[in-house]
Amino acid sequence: MLTALRRKIRFGMQRTVLIAVLLAVGIFSYAFLNLKFCFKLMSHRSLNLMCQKFEKHEYSGSLCEELCGSQSSFDNFQCPLNDMKTILFTAEKNGDLYAVKLARHNDDELSWTNNKGESIYPKLEEFHEIVKLHIILAYNVTLDDNMIRALVNQEIADDNSQQMVSFWRLFKDNNYMMGKLFDEESIFPAVLGSCGPYYATEGLEIVQSNPSIMQYLASNRVQRLKHALNIMEYIFRLDEMKPEPLKMCKMQVNRFGTASERRLKYQSAEHVYVESQLDKRLSRGVKCHAHQDCHFHSCRGLCDEEKQSCTHIQQNNNFQIFCEHILLGGGTFQPGLLSGVRLSKALQKLVKMCVQPPKEHQVPGRQWAPNTQLALRLYNELKQLHQAAAASAGSEIPDEGQARRGV
């Protein structure tokens, strides 16, 4: 009888645990399906914390007043549709979508300690110089004093070290800085305001959702080919950036989107770097035993077998990453844009050469980087395929000008 009682108690406990787990799964599933409920459950705390810091004068910035003021014009707060690692929540203002993000924490202290053990912070003008030097070293961009003041927005009180620390966190965040420095080029979402380490960017309408096996059954071949061409044009723009090209170490098809002006942008610049800084990162002498030890996400380094250290610059480029991860994808369950599309032998060969370029089509000093001539040939072949597919589907193709020259 005692054994039966123990069995009954154990069964009851197991059933209780199972019900609790199912209930938790149900709540979180509903949260992700209902984005407004998701915000209340997961993201509302961030907004409350931001406003509390603003009321205590620890945070400053135009976004504080817009989100926390009694006359706030924001509504329709929701969890993001994707990229929840970067975006805390979205909201609408006058019909425009805002994506609110939080700058990454950094360990680069802004203060120093005097002989009394007190933390000393720079004066505002000194802070301007620190920011200016950081931008030169990290982005190879030189800004004059007026531009630095505009970047800081003059929203930091002279005696408020907490506001200065939160702004320093912003300036050390690559995603925020790329959006500010390359705002006129419209390659990343425009930064619309900040509040301490929080900042808002324009929301993007994602062009292609996360690929799945259902793509093989979809009849969206024309749209996928068009999207591939648009991404290639985006990469051409990155290579033409001044003072030097920008390199993407993560490239995901479901991060490309458009804003109000319909120009293609990439949702997150977290893993985008100027060429010189990426080359320094990959060749700084880290110990290695294989080439993979020198890679940074999709950006490939090279291991010196004799020195057993990473001493070479980036060996691939944006086009190689595009061909491998966007066009081909990661296999059956992570198809690329060309998965399920019938390709000519010539186009198949070009894609293969783009992923593993032969010596005559390599960028000098970068053995896995296809050169511009090969990229142009691939672009023009994809354009012809898109036009043929659109004609076959009965779509009208607007006059987009001549194919890119240079082949």
Side-chain angles (χ1 to χ4, degrees):
M1 184 174 178
L2 185 59
T3 302
L5 180 61
R6 287 175 176 172
R7 188 182 299 115
K8 186 175 181 179
I9 293 173
R10 186 167 61 249
F11 176 75
M13 291 178 63
Q14 290 174 345
R15 184 171 59 179
T16 302
V17 170
L18 179 60
I19 292 173
V21 170
L22 291 175
L23 183 62
V25 171
I27 291 174
F28 279 97
S29 298
Y30 180 76
F32 283 102
L33 290 174
N34 189 315
L35 298 179
K36 290 185 178 180
F37 178 74
C38 171
F39 168 77
K40 294 178 182 178
L41 181 68
M42 303 177 64
S43 303
H44 194 258
R45 182 175 175 273
S46 297
L47 179 59
N48 286 339
L49 177 63
M50 180 199 307
C51 295
Q52 289 171 9
K53 295 281 188 179
F54 173 57
E55 291 174 1
K56 295 177 181 178
H57 304 288
E58 294 179 23
Y59 288 173
S60 62
S62 60
L63 187 64
C64 300
E65 300 171 2
E66 291 189 77
L67 280 173
C68 304
S70 58
Q71 301 298 322
S72 176
S73 55
F74 281 93
D75 57 15
N76 197 23
F77 290 84
Q78 297 186 7
C79 281
L81 285 169
N82 69 344
D83 199 15
M84 295 188 71
K85 292 182 179 179
T86 305
I87 303 173
L88 295 176
F89 60 88
T90 64
E92 290 185 12
K93 178 185 176 183
N94 300 325
D96 295 325
L97 183 65
Y98 283 55
V100 178
K101 307 173 183 179
L102 176 63
R104 283 180 169 273
H105 179 75
N106 72 83
D107 298 321
D108 193 356
E109 293 290 340
L110 188 62
S111 63
W112 60 93
T113 306
N114 63 13
N115 53 13
K116 297 180 181 179
E118 301 169 330
S119 294
I120 307 299
Y121 290 88
K123 297 183 183 301
L124 189 56
E125 288 301 319
E126 294 172 336
F127 182 61
H128 289 166
E129 291 301 316
I130 292 172
V131 172
K132 184 177 181 178
L133 182 61
H134 165 65
I135 293 173
I136 292 173
L137 295 176
Y139 302 98
N140 194 23
V141 174
T142 302
L143 302 179
D144 61 32
D145 293 341
N146 291 330
M147 295 173 72
I148 289 293
R149 290 190 184 95
L151 193 60
V152 177
N153 292 328
Q154 293 290 349
E155 293 169 336
I156 303 175
D158 287 306
D159 59 347
N160 197 318
S161 59
Q162 289 298 318
Q163 292 180 8
M164 191 175 294
V165 168
S166 63
F167 267 83
W168 180 236
R169 181 172 169 180
L170 275 181
F171 297 134
K172 294 289 288 185
D173 185 79
N174 193 60
N175 199 19
Y176 174 83
M177 286 305 300
M178 282 287 182
K180 294 293 284 186
L181 293 174
F182 296 95
D183 178 63
E184 293 184 1
E185 286 77 7
S186 296
I187 52 178
F188 306 116
V191 177
L192 303 174
S194 63
C195 178
Y198 296 85
Y199 61 100
T201 67
E202 61 183 344
L204 298 185
E205 181 181 341
I206 299 302
V207 177
Q208 174 88 17
S209 61
N210 201 35
S212 68
I213 195 171
M214 295 302 293
Q215 180 173 296
Y216 294 101
L217 304 177
S219 58
N220 62 346
R221 182 177 58 150
V222 175
Q223 293 91 330
R224 283 189 280 135
L225 289 171
K226 180 60 178 175
H227 192 32
L229 289 169
N230 289 338
I231 294 176
M232 288 198 77
E233 292 172 0
Y234 178 87
I235 295 174
F236 281 118
R237 288 163 57 199
L238 294 187
D239 283 352
E240 295 167 358
M241 286 295 110
K242 303 297 181 185
E244 55 182 298
L246 297 182
K247 302 297 180 180
M248 301 180 70
C249 289
K250 267 193 175 181
M251 193 183 300
Q252 297 172 279
V253 71
N254 63 332
R255 294 291 184 267
F256 288 97
T258 58
S260 56
E261 76 277 15
R262 309 308 299 171
R263 195 172 191 185
L264 193 68
K265 301 182 179 184
Y266 196 70
Q267 194 171 47
S268 172
E270 183 179 352
H271 297 100
V272 181
Y273 302 90
V274 295
E275 185 176 67
S276 61
Q277 292 304 311
L278 179 61
D279 285 343
K280 288 179 183 177
R281 182 183 189 124
L282 295 178
S283 61
R284 59 186 173 182
V286 174
K287 291 295 180 183
C288 61
H289 300 286
H291 294 322
Q292 289 82 354
D293 298 332
C294 302
H295 296 349
F296 178 67
H297 298 292
S298 297
C299 291
R300 297 182 184 179
L302 201 62
C303 183
D304 188 310
E305 295 181 359
E306 293 184 5
K307 298 179 181 179
Q308 290 191 332
S309 62
C310 304
T311 57
H312 293 74
I313 61 176
Q314 183 191 9
Q315 293 300 296
N316 63 342
N317 61 8
N318 293 332
F319 284 111
Q320 192 279 333
I321 296 171
F322 164 77
C323 289
E324 182 175 4
H325 295 280
I326 302 297
L327 291 186
L328 297 183
T332 303
F333 295 98
Q334 289 184 318
L337 291 178
L338 294 185
S339 298
V341 178
R342 184 174 297 178
L343 306 179
S344 66
K345 289 184 178 180
L347 186 50
Q348 291 179 39
K349 183 179 179 180
L350 281 175
V351 173
K352 183 177 180 180
M353 289 168 61
C354 180
V355 175
Q356 295 181 316
K359 191 171 183 178
E360 64 270 21
H361 292 295
Q362 296 172 5
V363 174
R366 303 179 190 268
Q367 63 180 4
W368 292 311
N371 59 23
T372 304
Q373 288 71 28
L374 180 58
L376 287 167
R377 287 174 58 190
L378 177 60
Y379 176 88
N380 289 332
E381 286 290 332
L382 283 174
K383 190 176 184 69
Q384 290 180 20
L385 179 60
H386 169 256
Q387 291 173 337
S392 176
S395 301
E396 292 187 9
I397 307 173
D399 183 11
E400 298 174 357
Q402 299 294 320
R404 283 182 174 261
R405 299 182 182 276
V407 182

